[in-house]
Amino acid sequence: MVMVATKENDFIKMLIEALPKSNRYYGIPHTTVMLSAGPTFVSNMLRRVADTSKVFVWTLAEREMYFGDLKGKSWHSWDTQFLMFLQHNLIFILILSVPVAGYFIFKGGAQAFGGWSAAKSQTPIDDLEATEALDPQRSQ
């Protein structure tokens, strides 16, 4: 992201004043940077500006014409790599998750983890009745 402004620009002043309030942790480093001081923060602040006639946002082509290809991304970490993996493999992940979820729901795979399964229709009440049938003393 490249930002250029005139001296004492109101928008830049507003960004700087908003930084302390947005300084918080958002779960993982990537979202923390994006939401607390990065491009998403700037975009959200721009939406609050009533008069955007003095704000000009360059297209990618315009930016590259003046600055070339900015490598940047110096703050990216493991979480960015993971999010990009999910983004690039979303269809594969969704296709794979359907049969896995089906196995756990309909074939009793969830029983291995102590969960409910459609394959076993026994309820806690059935368990109680079965216990009472085996040990009549316990039901009293």
Side-chain angles (χ1 to χ4, degrees):
M1 173 172 46
V2 176
M3 295 179 66
V4 179
T6 58
K7 185 178 180 180
E8 298 182 23
N9 182 281
D10 291 336
F11 180 63
I12 299 297
K13 190 177 186 179
M14 184 177 83
L15 288 176
I16 293 169
E17 290 172 355
L19 283 172
K21 279 198 272 184
S22 73
N23 184 19
R24 62 176 70 102
Y25 184 66
Y26 288 94
I28 59 175
H30 184 89
T31 53
T32 299
V33 170
M34 294 291 286
L35 296 173
S36 66
T40 306
F41 166 75
V42 173
S43 295
N44 289 338
M45 294 302 291
L46 186 56
R47 287 189 192 108
R48 297 179 186 181
V49 175
D51 179 21
T52 58
S53 64
K54 295 182 181 182
V55 178
F56 177 74
V57 179
W58 285 345
T59 65
L60 179 60
E62 291 169 326
R63 188 195 74 201
E64 286 180 348
M65 184 171 63
Y66 292 102
F67 296 99
D69 184 21
L70 302 173
K71 295 297 177 192
K73 300 177 185 169
S74 60
W75 54 272
H76 285 190
S77 185
W78 63 268
D79 56 333
T80 302
Q81 297 301 321
F82 179 70
L83 292 171
M84 290 178 75
F85 170 81
L86 291 178
Q87 177 186 5
H88 292 15
N89 297 292
L90 185 61
I91 299 297
F92 174 74
I93 292 168
L94 290 174
I95 290 170
L96 183 63
S97 66
V98 170
V100 170
Y103 171 77
F104 279 99
I105 291 171
F106 296 108
K107 296 293 184 188
Q111 289 297 327
F113 300 102
W116 177 84
S117 169
K120 183 180 177 187
S121 62
Q122 191 169 339
T123 65
I125 293 174
D126 294 333
D127 287 341
L128 181 62
E129 290 172 355
T131 303
E132 289 173 354
L134 292 175
D135 188 6
Q137 297 276 346
R138 194 169 178 177
S139 63
Q140 295 175 1

